[in-house]
Amino acid sequence: MLPFKLIYSDDYFLPIGAHVFPAEKYQRIHQRLLETGVAEPQDFVAPHPASDQDILLVHTPQYVQKLKTGTLSAREELELEIPYSPELVRAFWLAAGGSIAAASHALKDGVAFNIGGGFHHAFPDHGEGFCMIHDVAVAIRRMQRDDKIRTAMTVDCDVHQGNGTAAIFAGVRVPTDPLPSVSSSTVTAARPAKIRNAHAGDVFTISLHQENNYPAWKPPSSIDVDLPDGIGDDDYLAWLDNALCSGLRQFESELLCYIAGADPYREDQLGGLNLSIEGLKKRDELVFRVARARGIPVMVTYAGGYAQKVDDTVTIHCNTVIAAKEVFGDK
Ligand SMILES: [Zn+2]
């Protein structure tokens, strides 16, 4: 049995028809984890849907009302990039409930997974980029409301910038000195990545993403690492290490929310980075090791993954569980 819980429901499936987002990935991850013996049935915990009150900790009443009554404008639905349905609304409420459960279990066990979620492009008043509800933000605000945590840090390793996360948690912005960057010898890409830094409020947001990709407008996170196209494993890991260390020097966090997107993978259809499956697992291990060394509980969500072969996306997501087992298994 795993020393941590995996929050999962078959109803995480998103009813969006034929789509670049492989909505069946959650079921396939669940199945693979069981088939390969990485997890046992008792490791899984079924989520409850978030309450409307939970959703309203992050989203505006007007937006929630539109979702519940099916009255998004054509433009709003277009921006969401997935077809609206009441079933889809239920799936997102459930994903948010799953992230609340993952946060709660992480605080008890040191780490927990939502085998779903990570919808980091949702804003308080609208959804976009396949994200209707920001489940991670809902989980953080719920933990804060329940006085379980005061502060949190998001570490977003999806290939796309966490624009919703940045907008939701925007703190007071004051100019800061540039961060010490990694030594130039560790960065061999044609053009170095750029790191941007802004002060946080009660939630510190880190995003490592491909600069030349969606979203076009990237509201500032506490730390943004704008990576050039085609960056590989070693450079990526150096930048991640640098961003994590800088973030944890600046901010004391009581919960780390790891958004473990599978789309920095070199064969991703919507990504332009060049990470290998092994490199992505090292990425997961790095996040877990850093958090564990500092005693910060980690909740994991999955976000994007659009590999040409859905099997690869499933492998990358399953590897995140294996990495956690390796790092947290010997406690
Ligand atoms: Zn993505």
Side-chain angles (χ1 to χ4, degrees):
M1 214 173 148
L2 292 170
F4 51 84
K5 293 295 175 199
L6 308 170
I7 318 302
Y8 172 76
S9 165
D10 285 343
D11 295 330
Y12 279 172
F13 177 79
L14 301 175
I16 53 178
H19 197 282
V20 68
F21 190 100
E24 73 278 21
K25 78 174 180 178
Y26 307 119
Q27 284 164 3
R28 289 180 59 173
I29 295 163
H30 175 244
Q31 207 178 4
R32 176 92 68 85
L33 288 171
L34 288 171
E35 278 168 8
T36 53
V38 172
E40 297 171 27
Q42 311 89 281
D43 294 320
F44 293 92
V45 173
H48 300 289
S51 66
D52 292 353
Q53 207 186 6
D54 293 331
I55 301 292
L56 288 165
L57 293 169
V58 170
H59 294 280
T60 64
Q62 294 81 357
Y63 179 51
V64 172
Q65 180 69 10
K66 282 183 199 171
L67 292 176
K68 294 190 73 100
T69 53
T71 49
L72 291 176
S73 69
R75 192 200 140 94
E76 286 168 324
E77 197 178 335
L78 204 66
E79 210 173 13
L80 198 54
E81 294 188 82
I82 42 177
Y84 174 89
S85 68
E87 294 74 33
L88 189 67
V89 173
R90 280 202 286 278
F92 275 97
W93 255 246
L94 188 61
S99 288
I100 291 170
S104 184
H105 280 279
L107 294 174
K108 277 193 289 230
D109 299 332
V111 61
F113 281 66
N114 187 6
I115 305 294
F119 297 113
H120 58 160
H121 301 310
F123 285 70
D125 62 351
H126 74 277
E128 58 176 75
F130 321 149
C131 301
M132 183 183 276
I133 289 294
H134 200 308
D135 55 290
V136 178
V138 169
I140 291 171
R141 290 304 189 214
R142 172 66 192 274
M143 293 303 110
Q144 289 177 323
R145 196 206 66 190
D146 293 352
D147 283 328
K148 289 185 173 174
I149 59 168
R150 282 165 296 135
T151 60
M153 176 178 281
T154 61
V155 177
D156 190 338
C157 291
D158 190 275
V159 81
H160 305 101
Q161 195 238 10
N163 54 348
T165 321
I168 290 166
F169 296 120
V172 183
R173 308 265 171 229
V174 293
T176 55
D177 293 331
L179 286 169
S181 59
V182 292
S183 76
S184 55
S185 65
T186 60
V187 176
T188 52
R191 192 165 54 79
K194 281 187 303 212
I195 193 156
R196 295 180 279 140
N197 199 20
H199 273 295
D202 56 356
V203 179
F204 194 98
T205 56
I206 297 177
S207 179
L208 256 84
H209 48 263
Q210 184 188 5
E211 182 179 23
N212 178 29
N213 204 328
Y214 168 88
W217 177 62
K218 297 175 175 62
S221 312
S222 309
I223 294 178
D224 281 296
V225 184
D226 296 327
L227 298 167
D229 297 355
I231 206 166
D233 293 344
D234 292 347
D235 290 338
Y236 185 95
L237 292 170
W239 282 108
L240 174 58
D241 193 28
N242 184 256
L244 280 171
C245 293
S246 300
L248 290 165
R249 264 201 307 274
Q250 295 174 54
F251 189 85
E252 213 162 295
S253 177
E254 294 168 350
L255 177 67
L256 192 153
C257 303
Y258 178 34
I259 298 169
D263 48 13
Y265 178 44
R266 58 165 66 117
E267 287 177 35
D268 196 89
Q269 300 174 79
L270 301 185
L273 300 186
N274 196 26
L275 272 72
S276 67
I277 289 181
E278 298 73 40
L280 286 159
K281 182 158 180 267
K282 284 188 188 146
R283 168 198 76 167
D284 300 334
E285 287 163 5
L286 176 59
V287 173
F288 293 140
R289 275 205 315 271
V290 165
R292 193 184 171 187
R294 287 167 173 78
I296 306 170
V298 186
M299 68 165 275
V300 184
T301 54
Y302 275 154
Y306 315 93
Q308 281 149 16
K309 297 182 209 128
V310 178
D311 235 26
D312 286 346
T313 297
V314 172
T315 300
I316 293 163
H317 286 318
C318 287
N319 281 348
T320 309
V321 178
I322 296 171
K325 195 174 177 177
E326 287 166 3
V327 174
F328 291 94
D330 58 340
K331 67 177 184 183

